[in-house]
C-alpha cells in the first residue's frame, strides 16, 4: 500500500518539483489565487513577483556566502584547524533529499494533513511552501537511515509537520508586527522556527536575570534615525565585512570587497523583502473576498518560505556576528566534526531568533551563540547519512572532498528534530536505551512547545489589547 502511494506521489509531484523552487511557487500561488476568485492575469502577476523575489533572495544569499567563504577558509588555515566533515551549506542537502522518492511521498502526506487540519479548523494556515518539505523528509530519512521503518519515519514527519503548522498560527501576529503590516496574509511553516521554544526559554531568562542588557541593545532602524548613514544597513554591512576580512587576514583590496558586498547584500535584503509583500497582495485580497462570501469571514494565513521577513537588518547583522563565533566554537566543541564554511551565514539560525526576541539584537547574538552547538552537533550526527546518500544520488558532490571525509551542513534547520530522528532510528533498531530516550525526548519536546505556546498566546493577547488585528478564531480555539 505504501509503495503504491509513493508511486502515485512521484507521478503527481515529480514533474513540478523538477522545475525548482521559484517555478513551483509561481504555479502554486497563481493557482490558489485564481481558485479563490482573483483574475487569472492578476493572480499570475503575483506568482511571477514571488518567483522573482525567491530567485533574488537566493542569488543574494549565494553572493554573500561565496564572498565570505575565502576569508573564513583563510582563518581556518591560519589556525591549523583539521575537522573531518566539510560544510557544504543547505543547497546540496536539499538536492540530495529531493533525490529520494520518499520526499514526494512525505509531500503528499503533508498536503493531505494540512487540508484535513484546515477542514477541521485546527489551523488557519494553508502551507504553500511545498519545496521546503525537504526539511521534513530529511528528518524522516535520517530516522530510517539509523534503523526506523517507513511507517514510524512517516509518523515522525507528520508529528513534526503538525507542530510547525500550529506554530505558524502562533507566530502570525509577531510577523505582522515585524513587518509593520497587519493586513498581509503571510506566515511560515519553515522548520527553522521550531527552534522557537528553546529560544523562548533563554529569552525568559533574559527577562528575569538580564533585563538591563536591553538598554544597550543595537537597533539598526532606530540608530539610523539618529545618526543617518552610519547606522544604516549599508554601514552595518561595511563594519561586518571589515571585521570578517581582518579575521581572515585578507589583503586590503579583499577587505574593501567584503565590506561593499556585505553592504550591498544587507540593503538588497530589505528591498527584496518588500517584493514578497507585493507578490501576495492579489492572493490576500482574493482570500478576503472568498472568506467573506463563502466562509463567514474566516481568515486564512499563507505559509511561505521564511525570506519574506528578510528585510529585517537584525537577521543579517546577527548572522555575520555569529559567523566567527561559530568558527571559534567549532574549534573547541567536544563531539563536533564539522568545519563551518558553506553554512557560515546562518540563515537556519537567525530568523527564529528574530521572531522570539522581536529584533533585540544583543539577545539574538547571545542566545544564538548558546544554541549554535546544537547545530554543529546535529551536522556532525547527520554527516554519515548525508555522505552515504550523496554517494548514491549525487556522487559529484564528493569530488572535491578528500578521501574518508564526510559532508554535512553546520546550520541545517531542525537540529532538535534530527536528534529525535536519531533516537527513534536507534531505538527501533533494537537499542532499548535509545528507545527510552526517544520517548523522554518526545515528552520534553511537547512539554516545552506547550509552554512556548502559552507564552506566545500571552504575547498575542497583548497585541489584541493594543488594538492590532489578531485572528479571533485562532485565539479562541487555542486558549
Amino acid at each position: 500500500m505504501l509503495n503504491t502511494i509513493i508511486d502515485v506521489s512521484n507521478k503527481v509531484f515529480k514533474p513540478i518539483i523538477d522545475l525548482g523552487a521559484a517555478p513551483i511557487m509561481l504555479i502554486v500561488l497563481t493557482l490558489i489565487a485564481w481558485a479563490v476568485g482573483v483574475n487569472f492575469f492578476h493572480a499570475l502577476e503575483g506568482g511571477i513577483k514571488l518567483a522573482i523575489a525567491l530567485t533574488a533572495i537566493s542569488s543574494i544569499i549565494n553572493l554573500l556566502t561565496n564572498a565570505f567563504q575565502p576569508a573564513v577558509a583563510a582563518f581556518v588555515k591560519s589556525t591549523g584547524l583539521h575537522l573531518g566533515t566539510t560544510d557544504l551549506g543547505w543547497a546540496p542537502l536539499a538536492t540530495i533529499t529531493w533525490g529520494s522518492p520518499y520526499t514526494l511521498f512525505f509531500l503528499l502526506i503533508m498536503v493531505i494533513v494540512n487540508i484535513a487540519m484546515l477542514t477541521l479548523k485546527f489551523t488557519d494556515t494553508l502551507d504553500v511552501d511545498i519545496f521546503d518539505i525537504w526539511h521534513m523528509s530529511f528528518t524522516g530519512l535520517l530516522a530510517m537511515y539509523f534503523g526506523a521503518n517507513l511507517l514510524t519515519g512517516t509518523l515522525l514527519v507528520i508529528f513534526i509537520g503538525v507542530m510547525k503548522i500550529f506554530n505558524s498560527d502562533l507566530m502570525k501576529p509577531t510577523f505582522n508586527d515585524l513587518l509593520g503590516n497587519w493586513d498581509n496574509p503571510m506566515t511560515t511553516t519553515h522548520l527553522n522556527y521550531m527552534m522557537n521554544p528553546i529560544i523562548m526559554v533563554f529569552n525568559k531568562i533574559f527577562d528575569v536575570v538580564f533585563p538591563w542588557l536591553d538598554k544597550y541593545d543595537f537597533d539598526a532602524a532606530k540608530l539610523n534615525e539618529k545618526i543617518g548613514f552610519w547606522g544604516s544597513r549599508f554601514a552595518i554591512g561595511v563594519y561586518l565585512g571589515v571585521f570578517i576580512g581582518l579575521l581572515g587576514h585578507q589583503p586590503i583590496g579583499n577587505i574593501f570587497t567584503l565590506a561593499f558586498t556585505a553592504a550591498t547584500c544587507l540593503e538588497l535584503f530589505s528591498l527584496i523583502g518588500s517584493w514578497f509583500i507585493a507578490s501576495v497582495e492579489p492572493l490576500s485580497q482574493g482570500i478576503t473576498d472568498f472568506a467573506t462570501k463563502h466562509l463567514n469571514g474566516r481568515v486564512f494565513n499563507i505559509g511561505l518560505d521564511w525570506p519574506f521577513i528578510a528585510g529585517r537588518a537584525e537577521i543579517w547583522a546577527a548572522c555575520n556576528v555569529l559567523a566567527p563565533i561559530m568558527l571559534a566554537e567549532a574549534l573547541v566543541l567536544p563531539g563536533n566534526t564539522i568545519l563551518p564554511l558553506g553554512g557560515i551565514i546562518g540563515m537556519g539560525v537567525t530568523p527564529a531568533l528574530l521572531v522570539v526576541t522581536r529584533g533585540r539584537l544583543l539577545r539574538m547574538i547571545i542566545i544564538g551563540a548558546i544554541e549554535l552547538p546544537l547545530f554543529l552537533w546535529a551536522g556532525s550526527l547527520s554527516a554519515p547519512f548525508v555522505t552515504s546518500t550523496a554517494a548514491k544520488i549525487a556522487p559529484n558532490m564528493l569530488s572535491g572532498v578528500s578521501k574518508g571525509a564526510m559532508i554535512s551542513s553546520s546550520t541545517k534547520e531542525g537540529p532538535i528534530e534530527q536528534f529525535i530522528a536519531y533516537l527513534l532510528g536507534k531505538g527501533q533498531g533494537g537499542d532499548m536505551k535509545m528507545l527510552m530516550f526517544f520517548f523522554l525526548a518526545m515528552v520534553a519536546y511537547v512539554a516545552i512547545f506547550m509552554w512556548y505556546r502559552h507564552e506566545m498566546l500571552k504575547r498575542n493577547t497583548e497585541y489584541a489589547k493594543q488594538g492590532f488585528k489578531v485572528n479571533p478564531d485562532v485565539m479562541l480555539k487555542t486558549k
Side-chain angles (χ1 to χ4, degrees), residues 368-428:
I370 294 171
E371 70 173 0
L372 278 175
L374 294 175
F375 288 85
L376 291 169
W377 279 326
S380 301
L381 177 74
S382 62
F385 159 69
V386 174
T387 307
S388 173
T389 307
K392 298 174 183 176
I393 294 176
N396 60 304
M397 289 185 187
L398 302 175
S399 59
V401 179
S402 59
K403 186 176 181 180
M406 294 186 291
I407 59 173
S408 189
S409 173
S410 60
T411 50
K412 165 72 179 71
E413 294 86 343
I416 302 297
E417 290 74 18
Q418 291 177 58
F419 295 136
I420 290 174
Y422 170 79
L423 294 174
L424 172 62
K426 288 293 186 180
Q428 194 167 14

Side-chain angles (χ1 to χ4, degrees), residues 196-211 356-358 360 363 367 451-452 454-456 458-459:
N196 286 12
I198 301 297
I199 297 169
M200 183 68 81
V201 171
F202 291 105
N203 198 53
K204 286 298 174 182
I205 292 173
F206 266 80
D207 288 342
V208 175
V209 182
F210 308 114
V356 176
T357 68
R358 286 186 281 194
R360 286 174 284 189
R363 293 192 186 210
I367 297 173
W451 170 80
Y452 155 78
H454 174 73
E455 294 299 319
M456 290 297 285
K458 286 199 300 184
R459 176 188 292 187

Side-chain angles (χ1 to χ4, degrees), residues 30 52 99 168 233 241 246 257 268 293 320 375 418 444 448 477:
T30 300
I52 292 170
S168 69
R233 294 184 183 89
L246 292 174
T257 300
L268 287 177
K293 184 176 181 180
N320 283 279
F375 288 85
Q418 291 177 58
I448 294 175
K477 64 172 176 277

Side-chain angles (χ1 to χ4, degrees), residues 6 90 141 187 220 227 435 445:
I6 292 171
W90 70 268
L141 292 172
T187 185
I227 61 175
L435 189 61
Y445 188 87

Side-chain angles (χ1 to χ4, degrees), residues 95-109:
T95 301
I96 292 168
T97 307
W98 274 113
S100 168
Y102 292 110
T103 297
L104 294 169
F105 165 68
F106 292 137
L107 172 59
L108 177 62
I109 293 297

